[in-house]
Amino acid sequence: MVSSITTQQIGRPTATEATISERSVAKALIAITLFLVSAHIAALILKYGLGREHAFGFVGTFHMDGEMNVPSFMSSLLLFSTAMMAFFTAAVTPGDRRSKLPWLTVGLVFVLLSFDENIRIHERITNSMRAILPEGFMPYTGFEIPYLIVMGIIGLFMIRWYLNLDRSSQLLFALSGFIFVCGAVGLEQVASVYYDANGLARAGEPTLVGDVFVLIEETCEIAGVSLFLYAMVRRLGGIKLASADTI
């Protein structure tokens, strides 16, 4: 973070400006990702290597597939921060409402994903889809179908906006989306094949292989969202903050 403070006479406003550089954001996001990955690996070592099922709460606190724990909170916070960055981008984008609408849409999508991370909406959708789909069509998942349909519709609506972005942002946004979908959808299906081939229930007794799938899946999701957030900050040349205080 680079900051500068200009002080005038006593009793007059003090102009304070601060810029959070894209490099600072990148370092913070990498540090968060490495911390979550390392903590999950440590939890697996304690659980499967040393036979410590709970390890005084450490395993449950840092397991990436847990609820109401550190990874869940950090993932939700990351998604919400990305939403706020999209809303901020909309606010500073010149032009009429039409030019701001795509960024507002992006922000709304990430707000919903943030809520989903906390209250597990996709799990309820999975149960509904499994009741509708033919038996065995998608044994352990199902939320991907409505999610991909909705995202496809949004994508068609925003294609012109995307093509008008600078080439660097286009590449970073596309790469972040690819990484995220690989984790949220691709790895879910690969894991489903594993569980089905071994006659295991996904919600049943966890296995080392299953928890490794969780590690890869969640890492892809975090990396995808982090890259998207970084791309937005990079596009704006950092986050510039300013305030005027009276001293």
Side-chain angles (χ1 to χ4, degrees):
M1 178 186 294
V2 180
S3 62
S4 60
I5 301 176
T6 303
T7 305
Q8 300 177 357
Q9 297 180 2
I10 299 298
R12 292 190 176 185
T14 299
T16 303
E17 293 184 355
T19 299
I20 305 175
S21 68
E22 60 187 74
R23 179 173 296 183
S24 298
V25 172
K27 288 181 178 179
L29 293 173
I30 291 172
I32 291 171
T33 303
L34 291 177
F35 169 75
L36 294 176
V37 169
S38 300
H40 181 85
I41 292 175
L44 298 189
I45 292 173
L46 287 169
K47 182 177 180 179
Y48 297 103
L50 302 179
R52 304 297 298 271
E53 187 73 20
H54 303 288
F56 301 103
F58 182 91
V59 174
T61 300
F62 293 101
H63 194 287
M64 283 183 160
D65 199 31
E67 298 182 16
M68 303 298 292
N69 62 2
V70 172
S72 175
F73 171 77
M74 294 302 297
S75 295
S76 181
L77 181 61
L78 179 59
L79 289 164
F80 190 75
S81 298
T82 305
M84 293 302 101
M85 189 64 200
F87 291 143
F88 175 77
T89 303
V92 300
T93 297
D96 57 13
R97 184 178 299 178
R98 177 176 293 184
S99 63
K100 300 175 183 292
L101 184 57
W103 291 112
L104 294 174
T105 303
V106 171
L108 179 60
V109 168
F110 277 99
V111 166
L112 294 175
L113 289 175
S114 176
F115 287 148
D116 188 15
E117 183 67 27
N118 269 322
I119 61 181
R120 303 280 181 167
I121 300 173
H122 65 278
E123 292 185 358
R124 295 176 175 84
I125 295 177
T126 291
N127 294 333
S128 299
M129 291 301 298
R130 287 175 63 186
I132 298 173
L133 295 171
E135 185 177 355
F137 182 75
M138 298 183 78
Y140 300 104
T141 56
F143 73 90
E144 296 91 343
I145 295 177
Y147 272 47
L148 290 176
I149 290 175
V150 171
M151 295 307 297
I153 294 173
I154 294 175
L156 290 174
F157 164 72
M158 299 180 64
I159 186 65
R160 180 178 296 180
W161 163 80
Y162 174 79
L163 294 176
N164 287 330
L165 293 172
D166 60 280
R167 182 56 59 87
S168 178
S169 295
Q170 287 180 0
L171 293 175
L172 289 176
F173 287 162
L175 180 59
S176 66
F178 175 77
I179 294 172
F180 183 85
V181 172
C182 282
V185 178
L187 263 296
E188 282 277 358
Q189 295 305 310
V190 173
S192 295
V193 172
Y194 160 75
Y195 282 104
D196 190 44
N198 290 274
L200 300 173
R202 181 150 194 156
E205 185 67 25
T207 66
L208 176 58
V209 175
D211 280 342
V212 171
F213 276 129
V214 168
L215 171 63
I216 301 173
E217 174 190 333
E218 296 295 331
T219 301
C220 285
E221 292 183 18
I222 293 171
V225 176
S226 296
L227 182 58
F228 195 94
L229 177 56
Y230 166 78
M232 286 195 293
V233 175
R234 182 178 184 274
R235 183 176 175 276
L236 294 177
I239 305 174
K240 297 179 177 61
L241 307 173
S243 65
D245 302 318
T246 301
I247 62 173

